Amino acid sequence: AGPSSTSSWTRMPVNYGKGMHLAPMVRSGTMPTRLLALEAGAELVWSPETVDRALIGCERTVDPVTGVISYSKTHRPVFTMHPVERSRLIFQIGSSNAELAAEAAKMVYQDVAGIDLNCGCPKHFSVHAGMGAGLLQNPDNLCAILKSIRAAVPAEVPVSCKIRMLPSQDDTLALVRQIVDTGVISCLTVHCRTPPMRDRDAALIHRLRDIVDAVGSKVVVVENGDCTDCESAEKIRQATGVTAVMVARAAEANPTCFSADGPRDAETYVIPRYARLAKYLDHHWSNTKFCLMQLTSSSPALGKRSRAQWKAALATAKSYEELVLQWEKDINFLEGGAEILEDITQA
Ligand code: FNR
């Protein structure tokens, strides 16, 4: 009984070109966030980047009670997912090596809908190792990695990549053409910032239409950058010609931002729902604490007093139970996770 956890499941075509997707986010885009995003209306969810070498050598285990699938090394989870999200989960790989990327993709494709290559991370550790935005400077290697992933997984598992724009539009168009001409990707996400740009800099959304036109119907182009809700998604569609958008920070602050009715209240809905679900799924406490802190820090729905109380309780809590004692003082606060998972299964 319990959720299906075998590797036999029916794959459906992956709908990259519709709706709003949850962006890959290290630490923030973990399993409970993804499940709440899907429940709220996200079409697809990206996993946080996992570097090829980190995944290779992991052991895959299935929790017989919750169905959670973990890829772990020396008992430390590297990637954790739930079968409920499998048909809409895109696994993002960080790589600068075609063989290692293929090996990582082969290990995990059975549990995900598609494989994505991170070609946009501007952080020193990535670029220095030739990964992330480092690949934008070496498009031949970028394309070789994509081809290698494509060859490693069955045809029904789509391959995609996520890039940033280059400072020059001509260079960006040339890069995009080279990537699309490999013929191996189904989707290209364009984060409308250049590698040196910070998140607080406004995304260069006005530059996307030319890219969408250049790609034509060969590959789905997904916009990323500064989309916060359904309303802004619609404006971006109108301005750029894309049909789908990807949301990062707004979803980190509130994973229900995908809802057509607008985001749900953080204090009364999102935070308790997150805590209950995460507790039921036995999601590691340190990550839960981090994600709850993001929800708490950036939720305008929280009153000043509540936010201060939440932060204080979170800062000192070393477990789910301690959080309850310091915050709600009512252990029922953590009950009902199994029912939430059931709701998500049916959503
Ligand atoms: C990111 N981003 C990111 N991108 C990526 O390709 N792989 C990753 O693992 C991460 N990790 C990550 C963590 C956190 C906490 C943030 C805020 C961002 C970048 C992200 O996917 C997205 O491209 C940018 O945040 C721009 O989108 P928004 O925030 O303007 O919607």
Side-chain angles (χ1 to χ4, degrees):
S4 144
S5 53
T6 64
S7 52
S8 60
W9 54 289
T10 312
R11 284 185 183 275
M12 305 288 281
V14 179
N15 207 341
Y16 291 104
K18 186 181 150 214
M20 295 163 74
H21 308 318
L22 175 71
M25 283 186 284
V26 164
R27 287 185 90 191
S28 297
T30 40
M31 173 176 58
T33 305
R34 298 195 302 264
L35 293 174
L36 291 181
L38 284 171
E39 185 185 33
E43 184 66 30
L44 301 174
V45 290
W46 262 245
S47 67
E49 175 194 75
T50 304
V51 172
D52 49 17
R53 285 182 196 276
L55 189 73
I56 294 167
C58 277
E59 187 194 0
R60 178 183 183 274
T61 54
V62 181
D63 183 310
V65 176
T66 61
V68 168
I69 298 172
S70 298
Y71 288 79
S72 313
K73 235 178 230 176
T74 54
H75 303 295
R76 286 176 74 96
V78 169
F79 170 58
T80 309
M81 53 79 62
H82 195 277
V84 161
E85 56 178 334
R86 188 151 52 184
S87 64
R88 294 192 283 163
L89 174 59
I90 309 298
F91 182 80
Q92 191 187 60
I93 296 180
S95 183
S96 61
N97 180 302
E99 281 169 27
L100 295 180
E103 203 177 329
K106 265 191 211 161
M107 280 184 65
V108 80
Y109 82 82
Q110 64 180 327
D111 287 321
V112 297
I115 307 282
D116 188 71
L117 178 66
N118 183 349
C119 311
C121 180
K123 299 236 162 79
H124 179 74
F125 83 88
S126 267
V127 177
H128 184 70
M131 298 188 293
L135 289 171
L136 303 176
Q137 304 307 324
N138 190 351
D140 290 347
N141 193 35
L142 190 168
C143 293
I145 296 171
L146 289 174
K147 287 181 193 163
S148 174
I149 296 173
R150 177 65 283 158
V153 299
E156 63 268 25
V157 182
V159 176
S160 59
C161 73
K162 177 167 177 280
I163 62 167
R164 281 186 179 234
M165 288 175 168
L166 296 170
S168 133
Q169 182 77 336
D170 285 347
D171 291 347
T172 310
L173 287 167
L175 172 74
V176 165
R177 286 200 186 94
Q178 188 177 347
I179 292 172
V180 171
D181 286 348
T182 59
V184 299
I185 61 163
S186 305
C187 168
L188 174 75
T189 303
V190 182
H191 178 187
C192 299
R193 292 186 176 89
T194 62
M197 285 173 73
R198 300 288 176 89
D199 284 349
R200 62 171 180 270
D201 302 326
L204 308 171
I205 293 170
H206 61 280
R207 282 181 51 185
L208 190 58
R209 187 172 278 280
D210 279 354
I211 296 171
V212 174
D213 290 347
V215 170
S217 57
K218 284 183 251 176
V219 163
V220 173
V221 177
V222 172
E223 186 278 346
N224 170 235
D226 287 348
C227 181
T228 53
D229 52 20
C230 292
E231 207 178 305
S232 70
E234 197 42 46
K235 284 188 190 147
I236 290 168
R237 285 192 191 98
Q238 300 289 335
T240 62
V242 299
T243 51
V245 299
M246 176 187 268
V247 184
R249 287 165 301 154
E252 180 183 46
N254 190 331
T256 67
C257 69
F258 298 94
S259 167
D261 304 325
R264 303 287 297 262
D265 180 64
E267 184 176 15
T268 55
Y269 184 86
V270 188
I271 292 172
R273 203 163 178 80
Y274 186 104
R276 285 175 189 139
L277 182 64
K279 162 86 170 115
Y280 174 70
L281 295 174
D282 201 16
H283 189 62
H284 38 116
W285 167 246
S286 59
N287 186 249
T288 292
K289 180 167 167 163
F290 175 80
C291 291
L292 287 177
M293 198 62 104
Q294 309 310 307
L295 296 176
T296 309
S297 303
S298 40
S299 292
L302 282 181
K304 263 202 174 106
R305 192 161 157 265
S306 314
R307 187 182 293 146
Q309 285 178 328
W310 254 108
K311 283 193 161 180
L314 272 171
T316 47
K318 292 189 188 65
S319 66
Y320 287 92
E321 288 72 20
E322 274 191 34
L323 175 70
V324 172
L325 289 177
Q326 291 175 42
W327 171 245
E328 284 276 313
K329 303 194 170 47
D330 174 4
I331 206 76
N332 288 329
F333 179 71
L334 288 178
E335 283 178 9
E339 288 74 16
I340 295 173
L341 188 62
E342 192 55 38
D343 287 353
I344 295 170
T345 309
Q346 284 161 12

